[in-house]
Coordinates of all heavy atoms in Angstrom, one line a residue:
M10 N -3.1 8.6 10.8 CA -3.8 8.1 9.7 C -4.3 6.7 9.9 O -5.1 6.3 9.2 CB -3.0 8.3 8.4 CG -2.0 7.2 8.2 SD -1.2 7.2 6.6 CE -0.4 8.7 6.6
G11 N -3.7 6.0 10.8 CA -4.0 4.6 11.1 C -3.1 3.6 10.5 O -2.5 3.9 9.4
D12 N -2.9 2.5 11.1 CA -2.0 1.5 10.6 C -2.3 0.9 9.3 O -1.5 0.7 8.4 CB -1.8 0.3 11.6 CG -1.2 0.7 12.9 OD1 -0.5 1.8 12.9 OD2 -1.4 0.0 13.9
D13 N -3.6 0.6 9.0 CA -4.0 0.1 7.7 C -3.7 1.0 6.6 O -3.2 0.6 5.6 CB -5.5 -0.3 7.7 CG -5.8 -1.5 8.6 OD1 -4.9 -2.2 9.0 OD2 -7.0 -1.7 8.9
A14 N -4.0 2.3 6.8 CA -3.8 3.3 5.8 C -2.3 3.5 5.6 O -1.8 3.6 4.4 CB -4.4 4.6 6.2
A15 N -1.5 3.5 6.6 CA 0.0 3.6 6.5 C 0.5 2.4 5.7 O 1.4 2.6 4.8 CB 0.6 3.7 7.9
D16 N 0.1 1.2 6.0 CA 0.6 0.0 5.3 C 0.1 0.1 3.8 O 0.9 -0.2 2.9 CB 0.0 -1.2 5.9 CG 0.6 -1.5 7.3 OD1 1.6 -1.0 7.6 OD2 -0.1 -2.4 8.0
A17 N -1.1 0.5 3.6 CA -1.6 0.6 2.2 C -0.8 1.6 1.4 O -0.5 1.4 0.2 CB -3.1 0.9 2.2
V18 N -0.6 2.8 1.9 CA 0.1 3.8 1.2 C 1.6 3.4 0.9 O 2.1 3.7 -0.2 CB 0.1 5.2 1.9 CG1 1.0 5.3 3.0 CG2 0.3 6.3 0.9
I19 N 2.2 2.7 1.8 CA 3.6 2.2 1.5 C 3.6 1.2 0.4 O 4.4 1.2 -0.5 CB 4.2 1.7 2.8 CG1 4.4 2.7 3.9 CG2 5.5 0.9 2.5 CD1 5.6 3.5 3.8
E20 N 2.7 0.2 0.5 CA 2.6 -0.8 -0.5 C 2.2 -0.3 -1.9 O 2.8 -0.7 -2.9 CB 1.5 -1.9 -0.1 CG 1.9 -2.7 1.1 CD 0.8 -3.6 1.6 OE1 -0.2 -3.7 0.9 OE2 0.9 -4.1 2.7
Y21 N 1.3 0.7 -1.9 CA 1.0 1.3 -3.2 C 2.2 2.1 -3.8 O 2.5 2.1 -5.0 CB -0.2 2.2 -3.0 CG -0.8 2.8 -4.3 CD1 -0.8 2.0 -5.5 CD2 -1.4 4.0 -4.3 CE1 -1.3 2.6 -6.7 CE2 -2.0 4.5 -5.5 CZ -1.9 3.8 -6.6 OH -2.5 4.3 -7.8
A22 N 2.9 2.8 -2.9 CA 4.1 3.5 -3.4 C 5.1 2.6 -3.9 O 5.8 2.9 -5.0 CB 4.7 4.3 -2.2
V23 N 5.3 1.4 -3.3 CA 6.3 0.4 -3.8 C 5.8 -0.1 -5.2 O 6.6 -0.1 -6.2 CB 6.4 -0.8 -2.9 CG1 7.1 -1.9 -3.5 CG2 7.1 -0.3 -1.6
A24 N 4.5 -0.4 -5.4 CA 4.0 -0.8 -6.6 C 4.2 0.2 -7.7 O 4.6 -0.1 -8.8 CB 2.5 -1.2 -6.5
L25 N 3.9 1.5 -7.4 CA 4.0 2.5 -8.4 C 5.5 2.7 -8.8 O 5.8 2.9 -9.9 CB 3.5 3.8 -7.9 CG 1.9 3.9 -7.8 CD1 1.5 5.1 -6.9 CD2 1.3 3.9 -9.1
G26 N 6.4 2.6 -7.8 CA 7.8 2.8 -8.1 C 8.3 1.7 -9.0 O 9.1 1.9 -9.9
R27 N 7.8 0.5 -8.8 CA 8.2 -0.7 -9.7 C 7.8 -0.5 -11.1 O 8.4 -1.0 -12.0 CB 7.7 -2.0 -9.1 CG 8.4 -2.4 -7.9 CD 7.9 -3.7 -7.4 NE 8.6 -4.1 -6.2 CZ 8.2 -5.0 -5.3 NH1 7.0 -5.6 -5.5 NH2 8.9 -5.3 -4.2
K28 N 6.7 0.2 -11.3 CA 6.1 0.5 -12.7 C 6.6 1.8 -13.2 O 6.1 2.2 -14.3 CB 4.6 0.4 -12.6 CG 4.1 -1.0 -12.4 CD 4.6 -2.0 -13.4 CE 3.4 -2.5 -14.2 NZ 3.8 -3.4 -15.2
D29 N 7.4 2.6 -12.5 CA 7.9 3.9 -12.9 C 6.6 4.8 -13.2 O 6.6 5.4 -14.2 CB 8.8 3.8 -14.1 CG 9.6 5.1 -14.3 OD1 9.9 5.7 -13.3 OD2 10.0 5.4 -15.4
S30 N 5.7 4.8 -12.2 CA 4.4 5.5 -12.4 C 4.2 6.4 -11.2 O 5.0 6.3 -10.2 CB 3.3 4.5 -12.6 OG 2.1 5.2 -12.9
A31 N 3.2 7.2 -11.2 CA 2.9 8.1 -10.1 C 1.4 8.2 -9.9 O 0.6 7.9 -10.8 CB 3.5 9.4 -10.3
D32 N 1.0 8.6 -8.7 CA -0.4 8.8 -8.4 C -0.4 9.7 -7.1 O 0.6 9.9 -6.4 CB -1.2 7.5 -8.2 CG -2.7 7.7 -8.2 OD1 -3.2 8.8 -8.4 OD2 -3.4 6.6 -8.0
S33 N -1.6 10.2 -6.8 CA -1.8 10.9 -5.5 C -2.9 10.3 -4.8 O -3.9 9.7 -5.4 CB -2.0 12.4 -5.7 OG -3.2 12.6 -6.4
V34 N -2.8 10.3 -3.5 CA -3.9 9.7 -2.6 C -4.2 10.7 -1.5 O -3.2 11.4 -1.0 CB -3.6 8.3 -2.0 CG1 -3.5 7.3 -3.1 CG2 -2.3 8.4 -1.2
S35 N -5.4 10.9 -1.1 CA -5.8 11.7 0.0 C -6.2 10.9 1.1 O -6.9 9.9 1.0 CB -7.0 12.6 -0.4 OG -6.7 13.4 -1.5
L36 N -5.6 11.2 2.3 CA -5.9 10.5 3.5 C -6.4 11.4 4.6 O -5.9 12.5 4.8 CB -4.7 9.7 4.0 CG -4.2 8.6 3.1 CD1 -2.9 8.1 3.5 CD2 -5.2 7.5 3.1
N37 N -7.3 10.9 5.4 CA -7.7 11.6 6.6 C -6.7 11.4 7.7 O -6.2 10.3 8.0 CB -9.1 11.1 7.1 CG -10.1 11.3 6.1 OD1 -10.3 12.4 5.5 ND2 -10.9 10.2 5.8
V38 N -6.3 12.5 8.3 CA -5.3 12.4 9.4 C -5.7 13.3 10.6 O -6.7 14.1 10.4 CB -3.9 12.9 8.9 CG1 -3.4 12.0 7.8 CG2 -3.9 14.3 8.5
L39 N -5.0 13.3 11.7 CA -5.3 14.1 12.8 C -4.0 15.0 13.0 O -2.9 14.4 13.0 CB -5.6 13.4 14.1 CG -6.8 12.5 14.0 CD1 -6.9 11.7 15.3 CD2 -8.1 13.3 13.8
N40 N -4.2 16.3 13.2 CA -3.0 17.1 13.5 C -2.6 16.9 14.9 O -3.2 16.1 15.7 CB -3.3 18.6 13.1 CG -4.3 19.2 14.0 OD1 -4.6 18.8 15.1 ND2 -4.9 20.3 13.5
L41 N -1.6 17.6 15.4 CA -1.1 17.4 16.8 C -2.1 17.7 17.8 O -2.0 17.2 19.0 CB 0.2 18.3 17.0 CG 1.4 17.8 16.1 CD1 2.5 18.8 16.3 CD2 1.8 16.4 16.4
R42 N -3.1 18.5 17.5 CA -4.2 18.9 18.5 C -5.3 17.9 18.4 O -6.3 18.0 19.1 CB -4.7 20.3 18.2 CG -3.6 21.3 18.5 CD -4.2 22.7 18.4 NE -4.6 23.0 17.0 CZ -3.9 23.6 16.1 NH1 -2.7 24.1 16.4 NH2 -4.4 23.8 14.8
G43 N -5.2 16.9 17.5 CA -6.3 15.9 17.3 C -7.4 16.3 16.4 O -8.5 15.7 16.4
E44 N -7.2 17.4 15.7 CA -8.2 17.9 14.8 C -8.1 17.2 13.4 O -7.0 17.0 12.9 CB -8.0 19.4 14.6 CG -8.2 20.2 15.9 CD -7.6 21.6 15.8 OE1 -6.8 21.9 14.9 OE2 -8.0 22.4 16.6
P45 N -9.2 16.9 12.8 CA -9.2 16.2 11.5 C -8.7 17.1 10.4 O -9.0 18.3 10.3 CB -10.6 15.7 11.3 CG -11.4 16.6 12.1 CD -10.6 17.0 13.3
Q46 N -7.9 16.5 9.5 CA -7.4 17.2 8.3 C -7.3 16.1 7.2 O -7.3 14.9 7.5 CB -6.0 17.8 8.5 CG -6.0 19.0 9.5 CD -4.6 19.6 9.6 OE1 -3.6 18.9 9.6 NE2 -4.6 20.9 9.8
V47 N -7.2 16.6 6.0 CA -6.9 15.8 4.8 C -5.5 16.1 4.3 O -5.2 17.3 4.1 CB -8.0 16.0 3.7 CG1 -7.7 15.1 2.5 CG2 -9.4 15.6 4.3
V48 N -4.7 15.1 4.1 CA -3.4 15.3 3.5 C -3.3 14.5 2.2 O -3.8 13.4 2.1 CB -2.3 14.7 4.5 CG1 -0.9 14.8 3.9 CG2 -2.4 15.5 5.8
V49 N -2.7 15.2 1.2 CA -2.5 14.5 -0.1 C -1.1 14.1 -0.2 O -0.2 14.9 0.0 CB -2.9 15.5 -1.2 CG1 -2.7 14.9 -2.6 CG2 -4.3 16.0 -1.1
F50 N -0.9 12.8 -0.6 CA 0.4 12.3 -0.8 C 0.7 12.1 -2.2 O -0.2 11.5 -2.9 CB 0.6 10.9 -0.1 CG 0.5 11.0 1.4 CD1 -0.6 10.9 2.1 CD2 1.7 11.1 2.1 CE1 -0.7 11.0 3.5 CE2 1.7 11.1 3.5 CZ 0.5 11.1 4.2
L51 N 1.8 12.6 -2.7 CA 2.2 12.3 -4.1 C 3.1 11.1 -4.1 O 4.1 11.1 -3.4 CB 2.9 13.5 -4.7 CG 3.6 13.3 -6.1 CD1 2.5 12.9 -7.1 CD2 4.3 14.5 -6.5
L52 N 2.7 10.0 -4.8 CA 3.5 8.8 -4.8 C 4.1 8.5 -6.1 O 3.4 8.7 -7.1 CB 2.6 7.6 -4.4 CG 1.8 7.8 -3.1 CD1 0.8 6.6 -2.9 CD2 2.7 7.9 -1.9
G53 N 5.3 8.1 -6.2 CA 5.9 7.8 -7.5 C 7.3 7.2 -7.2 O 7.6 6.8 -6.1
P54 N 8.0 7.0 -8.3 CA 9.3 6.3 -8.2 C 10.3 6.9 -7.3 O 11.1 6.2 -6.7 CB 9.9 6.4 -9.7 CG 8.7 6.6 -10.5 CD 7.7 7.4 -9.7
A55 N 10.2 8.2 -7.0 CA 11.2 8.9 -6.1 C 10.6 9.1 -4.7 O 11.2 9.7 -3.9 CB 11.6 10.2 -6.7
T56 N 9.5 8.5 -4.4 CA 8.8 8.7 -3.1 C 9.7 8.0 -2.1 O 10.1 6.9 -2.2 CB 7.5 8.0 -3.1 OG1 6.6 8.7 -4.0 CG2 6.8 8.1 -1.7
M57 N 10.0 8.8 -1.0 CA 10.7 8.2 0.1 C 9.9 8.5 1.4 O 9.5 9.7 1.6 CB 12.1 8.9 0.2 CG 12.9 8.5 -1.0 SD 14.5 9.4 -1.0 CE 15.3 8.8 0.5
M58 N 9.5 7.5 2.1 CA 8.7 7.7 3.3 C 8.9 6.5 4.3 O 9.4 5.5 3.9 CB 7.2 7.8 3.0 CG 6.5 6.6 2.4 SD 4.8 6.8 2.1 CE 4.7 8.1 0.9
T59 N 8.5 6.8 5.5 CA 8.5 5.7 6.5 C 7.2 5.8 7.2 O 6.4 6.7 7.1 CB 9.7 6.0 7.5 OG1 9.4 7.2 8.2 CG2 11.0 6.0 6.9
S60 N 7.0 4.7 8.0 CA 5.8 4.6 8.8 C 6.1 4.2 10.2 O 7.0 3.3 10.4 CB 4.8 3.6 8.1 OG 3.7 3.3 8.9
E61 N 5.5 4.8 11.2 CA 5.8 4.5 12.5 C 4.5 4.4 13.3 O 3.6 5.3 13.2 CB 6.7 5.6 13.1 CG 7.0 5.4 14.6 CD 7.9 6.5 15.1 OE1 8.4 7.3 14.3 OE2 8.2 6.5 16.3
S62 N 4.3 3.4 14.1 CA 3.2 3.3 15.0 C 3.4 4.2 16.2 O 4.5 4.3 16.8 CB 3.0 1.8 15.5 OG 2.6 1.0 14.4
V63 N 2.3 4.9 16.6 CA 2.4 5.7 17.8 C 1.2 5.5 18.7 O 0.1 5.1 18.2 CB 2.5 7.2 17.4 CG1 3.8 7.5 16.7 CG2 1.3 7.7 16.6
E64 N 1.3 5.8 19.9 CA 0.2 5.7 20.8 C -0.5 7.1 20.8 O 0.1 8.1 20.7 CB 0.6 5.4 22.3 CG 1.3 4.0 22.4 CD 0.3 2.9 22.2 OE1 -0.9 3.1 22.6 OE2 0.7 1.9 21.6
S65 N -1.8 7.1 20.8 CA -2.6 8.3 20.8 C -3.9 8.2 21.6 O -4.5 7.1 21.7 CB -2.9 8.7 19.3 OG -3.8 9.8 19.2
E66 N -4.2 9.3 22.1 CA -5.5 9.3 22.9 C -6.7 9.4 21.9 O -7.8 9.3 22.4 CB -5.5 10.5 23.9 CG -5.4 11.8 23.2 CD -5.2 13.0 24.2 OE1 -4.1 13.2 24.7 OE2 -6.2 13.7 24.4
F67 N -6.4 9.7 20.7 CA -7.5 9.9 19.7 C -7.7 8.7 18.9 O -6.8 7.8 18.7 CB -7.1 11.1 18.7 CG -6.7 12.3 19.4 CD1 -5.4 12.8 19.4 CD2 -7.7 13.1 20.0 CE1 -5.1 13.9 20.1 CE2 -7.4 14.3 20.7 CZ -6.0 14.7 20.7
D68 N -9.0 8.5 18.4 CA -9.3 7.4 17.5 C -8.7 7.6 16.2 O -8.6 8.8 15.7 CB -10.8 7.2 17.4 CG -11.5 6.8 18.7 OD1 -10.8 6.1 19.5 OD2 -12.7 7.1 18.9
E69 N -8.3 6.6 15.5 CA -7.8 6.7 14.1 C -8.9 7.3 13.2 O -10.0 6.9 13.3 CB -7.4 5.3 13.6 CG -6.2 4.7 14.3 CD -5.8 3.4 13.7 OE1 -6.5 2.9 12.8 OE2 -4.8 2.8 14.1
P70 N -8.5 8.1 12.3 CA -9.5 8.6 11.3 C -9.9 7.5 10.4 O -9.1 6.6 10.1 CB -8.7 9.8 10.6 CG -7.3 9.5 10.8 CD -7.2 8.7 12.1
D71 N -11.1 7.7 9.8 CA -11.6 6.6 8.9 C -11.0 6.8 7.5 O -11.2 7.9 6.9 CB -13.1 6.8 8.8 CG -13.7 5.7 7.9 OD1 -13.0 4.7 7.5 OD2 -14.9 5.9 7.5
N72 N -10.2 5.8 7.1 CA -9.6 5.8 5.8 C -10.0 4.6 5.0 O -9.2 4.1 4.1 CB -8.1 6.0 5.9 CG -7.7 7.4 6.1 OD1 -8.0 8.3 5.3 ND2 -7.0 7.6 7.2
A73 N -11.1 3.9 5.4 CA -11.4 2.6 4.8 C -11.6 2.7 3.2 O -11.1 1.8 2.5 CB -12.8 2.1 5.4
L74 N -12.2 3.8 2.7 CA -12.3 3.9 1.3 C -11.0 4.1 0.6 O -10.7 3.5 -0.5 CB -13.3 5.1 0.9 CG -14.7 4.8 1.2 CD1 -15.6 6.0 0.9 CD2 -15.3 3.6 0.4
A75 N -10.1 4.9 1.2 CA -8.8 5.1 0.6 C -7.9 3.9 0.6 O -7.2 3.6 -0.3 CB -8.1 6.3 1.4
V76 N -8.0 3.1 1.7 CA -7.3 1.8 1.8 C -7.8 0.9 0.8 O -7.0 0.2 0.1 CB -7.4 1.3 3.2 CG1 -6.9 -0.2 3.3 CG2 -6.7 2.1 4.3
K77 N -9.1 0.8 0.6 CA -9.7 -0.1 -0.4 C -9.2 0.3 -1.8 O -8.8 -0.5 -2.6 CB -11.2 -0.1 -0.4 CG -11.9 -1.0 -1.4 CD -13.4 -0.9 -1.3 CE -14.0 -1.7 -2.4 NZ -15.4 -1.5 -2.6
H78 N -9.2 1.6 -2.1 CA -8.8 2.1 -3.4 C -7.3 1.8 -3.6 O -7.0 1.3 -4.7 CB -9.0 3.7 -3.4 CG -8.3 4.3 -4.6 ND1 -8.8 4.3 -5.9 CD2 -7.2 5.1 -4.6 CE1 -7.9 5.0 -6.6 NE2 -7.0 5.5 -5.9
M79 N -6.5 2.0 -2.6 CA -5.0 1.8 -2.8 C -4.8 0.3 -3.0 O -3.9 -0.1 -3.8 CB -4.2 2.3 -1.6 CG -4.1 3.8 -1.7 SD -3.1 4.5 -0.4 CE -4.1 4.3 1.1
A80 N -5.5 -0.6 -2.3 CA -5.3 -2.0 -2.4 C -5.7 -2.5 -3.8 O -5.0 -3.3 -4.4 CB -6.2 -2.8 -1.4
E81 N -6.8 -1.9 -4.3 CA -7.2 -2.3 -5.7 C -6.2 -1.8 -6.7 O -5.8 -2.5 -7.7 CB -8.6 -1.7 -6.0 CG -9.7 -2.3 -5.2 CD -11.0 -1.6 -5.3 OE1 -11.1 -0.5 -5.9 OE2 -12.0 -2.1 -4.8
R82 N -5.7 -0.6 -6.6 CA -4.7 0.0 -7.5 C -3.4 -0.8 -7.4 O -2.7 -1.0 -8.4 CB -4.5 1.5 -7.2 CG -5.7 2.3 -7.4 CD -6.2 2.4 -8.9 NE -5.1 2.8 -9.8 CZ -5.0 4.0 -10.3 NH1 -5.9 5.0 -10.1 NH2 -4.0 4.3 -11.2
T83 N -3.0 -1.2 -6.2 CA -1.8 -1.9 -6.0 C -1.9 -3.2 -6.7 O -1.0 -3.6 -7.5 CB -1.5 -2.2 -4.5 OG1 -1.3 -0.9 -3.9 CG2 -0.2 -3.0 -4.3
T84 N -3.0 -3.9 -6.6 CA -3.2 -5.2 -7.3 C -3.2 -5.0 -8.8 O -2.5 -5.9 -9.5 CB -4.6 -5.8 -6.9 OG1 -4.6 -6.0 -5.4 CG2 -4.8 -7.1 -7.6
R85 N -3.8 -4.0 -9.3 CA -3.8 -3.8 -10.8 C -2.4 -3.3 -11.3 O -2.1 -3.6 -12.4 CB -4.8 -2.7 -11.1 CG -6.2 -3.2 -11.1 CD -7.1 -2.2 -11.9 NE -7.1 -0.9 -11.3 CZ -8.1 -0.4 -10.6 NH1 -9.2 -1.1 -10.3 NH2 -8.0 0.9 -10.2
T86 N -1.6 -2.7 -10.4 CA -0.3 -2.2 -10.8 C 0.7 -3.3 -10.9 O 1.6 -3.3 -11.8 CB 0.2 -1.0 -9.9 OG1 -0.8 0.0 -9.9 CG2 1.5 -0.5 -10.3
L87 N 0.7 -4.2 -9.9 CA 1.7 -5.2 -9.9 C 1.4 -6.4 -10.8 O 0.2 -6.6 -11.1 CB 1.8 -5.8 -8.5 CG 2.4 -4.9 -7.4 CD1 2.3 -5.5 -6.0 CD2 3.8 -4.5 -7.7
P88 N 2.4 -7.0 -11.4 CA 2.1 -8.2 -12.3 C 1.5 -9.3 -11.4 O 1.7 -9.4 -10.2 CB 3.5 -8.6 -12.8 CG 4.4 -8.0 -11.8 CD 3.8 -6.8 -11.2
P89 N 0.7 -10.2 -12.1 CA 0.1 -11.3 -11.4 C 1.1 -12.2 -10.9 O 2.2 -12.4 -11.5 CB -0.8 -11.9 -12.4 CG -0.4 -11.4 -13.7 CD 0.3 -10.1 -13.5
V90 N 0.9 -12.8 -9.7 CA 1.8 -13.8 -9.2 C 1.5 -15.2 -9.8 O 0.3 -15.6 -9.7 CB 1.6 -13.9 -7.6 CG1 2.5 -15.0 -7.0 CG2 1.9 -12.5 -7.0
P91 N 2.5 -15.8 -10.4 CA 2.2 -17.1 -11.0 C 1.9 -18.2 -9.9 O 2.4 -18.1 -8.8 CB 3.5 -17.5 -11.7 CG 4.5 -16.5 -11.2 CD 3.8 -15.4 -10.5
T92 N 1.0 -19.0 -10.3 CA 0.6 -20.1 -9.3 C 0.7 -21.4 -10.1 O 0.5 -21.5 -11.3 CB -0.8 -19.9 -8.8 OG1 -1.7 -19.9 -9.9 CG2 -1.0 -18.7 -8.0
A93 N 1.0 -22.5 -9.3 CA 1.2 -23.8 -9.9 C -0.3 -24.4 -10.1 O -1.2 -24.1 -9.4 CB 2.0 -24.7 -9.0
T94 N -0.4 -25.2 -11.2 CA -1.6 -25.9 -11.4 C -1.5 -27.3 -10.9 O -0.4 -27.8 -10.7 CB -2.0 -25.9 -12.9 OG1 -1.0 -26.6 -13.6 CG2 -2.1 -24.4 -13.4
R95 N -2.6 -27.9 -10.7 CA -2.6 -29.3 -10.3 C -1.9 -30.2 -11.3 O -1.3 -31.2 -10.9 CB -4.0 -29.8 -10.0 CG -4.6 -29.2 -8.8 CD -5.9 -29.8 -8.5 NE -6.5 -29.1 -7.3 CZ -7.7 -29.1 -7.0 NH1 -8.6 -29.9 -7.7 NH2 -8.1 -28.5 -5.9
D96 N -2.0 -29.9 -12.6 CA -1.5 -30.8 -13.6 C 0.0 -30.6 -13.8 O 0.7 -31.4 -14.5 CB -2.2 -30.5 -14.9 CG -3.7 -30.9 -14.8 OD1 -4.0 -31.7 -14.0 OD2 -4.5 -30.2 -15.5
A97 N 0.6 -29.5 -13.3 CA 2.0 -29.2 -13.5 C 2.8 -30.1 -12.6 O 2.6 -30.3 -11.4 CB 2.3 -27.7 -13.2
P98 N 3.9 -30.7 -13.2 CA 4.8 -31.5 -12.4 C 5.6 -30.7 -11.5 O 5.9 -29.5 -11.8 CB 5.7 -32.2 -13.4 CG 5.6 -31.3 -14.6 CD 4.3 -30.7 -14.6
P99 N 6.0 -31.2 -10.3 CA 6.8 -30.4 -9.4 C 8.2 -30.1 -10.0 O 8.7 -31.0 -10.8 CB 6.9 -31.2 -8.1 CG 6.6 -32.6 -8.6 CD 5.7 -32.5 -9.8
I100 N 8.8 -29.0 -9.7 CA 10.1 -28.7 -10.2 C 11.1 -29.0 -9.1 O 11.0 -28.5 -8.0 CB 10.2 -27.2 -10.6 CG1 9.2 -26.9 -11.7 CG2 11.6 -26.8 -11.0 CD1 9.1 -25.4 -12.0
D101 N 12.0 -29.9 -9.4 CA 13.0 -30.4 -8.4 C 14.2 -29.6 -8.4 O 14.9 -29.3 -7.4 CB 13.3 -31.9 -8.6 CG 12.1 -32.8 -8.3 OD1 11.3 -32.4 -7.4 OD2 12.0 -33.8 -8.9
Y102 N 14.6 -29.2 -9.6 CA 15.9 -28.5 -9.8 C 15.7 -27.3 -10.7 O 14.9 -27.2 -11.5 CB 17.0 -29.4 -10.4 CG 17.2 -30.6 -9.5 CD1 16.6 -31.8 -9.8 CD2 18.0 -30.6 -8.4 CE1 16.8 -33.0 -9.1 CE2 18.2 -31.7 -7.6 CZ 17.6 -32.9 -7.9 OH 17.8 -34.0 -7.2
I103 N 16.6 -26.3 -10.5 CA 16.6 -25.1 -11.3 C 16.7 -25.4 -12.8 O 16.2 -24.8 -13.7 CB 17.6 -24.1 -10.9 CG1 17.3 -22.7 -11.4 CG2 19.0 -24.5 -11.2 CD1 16.2 -22.0 -10.9
E104 N 17.4 -26.5 -13.1 CA 17.6 -26.9 -14.5 C 16.3 -27.3 -15.2 O 16.2 -27.3 -16.4 CB 18.6 -28.1 -14.6 CG 20.0 -27.8 -14.3 CD 20.3 -27.9 -12.7 OE1 19.5 -28.6 -12.0 OE2 21.2 -27.2 -12.3
D105 N 15.3 -27.7 -14.4 CA 14.0 -28.1 -14.9 C 13.2 -26.9 -15.5 O 12.3 -27.0 -16.2 CB 13.1 -28.7 -13.8 CG 13.6 -30.1 -13.4 OD1 14.4 -30.7 -14.1 OD2 13.2 -30.6 -12.3
L106 N 13.7 -25.7 -15.1 CA 13.0 -24.5 -15.6 C 13.4 -24.3 -17.0 O 12.9 -23.8 -17.8 CB 13.4 -23.3 -14.7 CG 12.9 -23.3 -13.3 CD1 13.4 -22.1 -12.5 CD2 11.4 -23.4 -13.3

């Protein structure tokens, strides 16, 4: 499926798990003979998966649209990351919080 797609599906699964939500994603893959196929992944709080890089004589299938979709959904699913403003004084100690 390709490294970018594998990373995106793992990150999206983590985000969905944190929100106790679920979704499915379709990814282009190659079977053991190098033939293209589409695989549907069900992602949710109980999803358990791993990702492993492998060497292959075949080119990675194109999953650019699926990766973009998962990245957008991951961003929308996770809470925003707080950022400091220029006007905020630095926090020196935990008691300052």
Side-chain angles (χ1 to χ4, degrees):
M10 83 170 60
D12 292 339
D13 290 343
D16 292 343
V18 76
I19 297 272
E20 290 171 13
Y21 188 33
V23 168
L25 288 168
R27 289 182 179 162
K28 292 300 241 176
D29 199 27
S30 187
D32 195 4
S33 64
V34 293
S35 298
L36 293 171
N37 299 312
V38 299
L39 299 176
N40 66 20
L41 294 176
R42 293 183 298 260
E44 301 164 339
Q46 293 182 324
V47 176
V48 175
V49 179
F50 291 88
L51 174 61
L52 307 176
T56 298
M57 297 173 64
M58 66 176 63
T59 61
S60 173
E61 178 181 352
S62 293
V63 295
E64 295 295 322
S65 174
E66 62 187 78
F67 306 109
D68 292 333
E69 293 180 355
D71 182 14
N72 281 302
L74 288 176
V76 168
K77 180 181 177 194
H78 167 76
M79 286 185 286
E81 291 169 354
R82 296 293 305 256
T83 299
T84 300
R85 284 196 304 254
T86 302
L87 292 175
V90 177
T92 57
T94 63
R95 290 186 181 163
D96 299 331
I100 298 174
D101 292 327
Y102 299 100
I103 195 71
E104 293 83 22
D105 291 345
L106 296 175

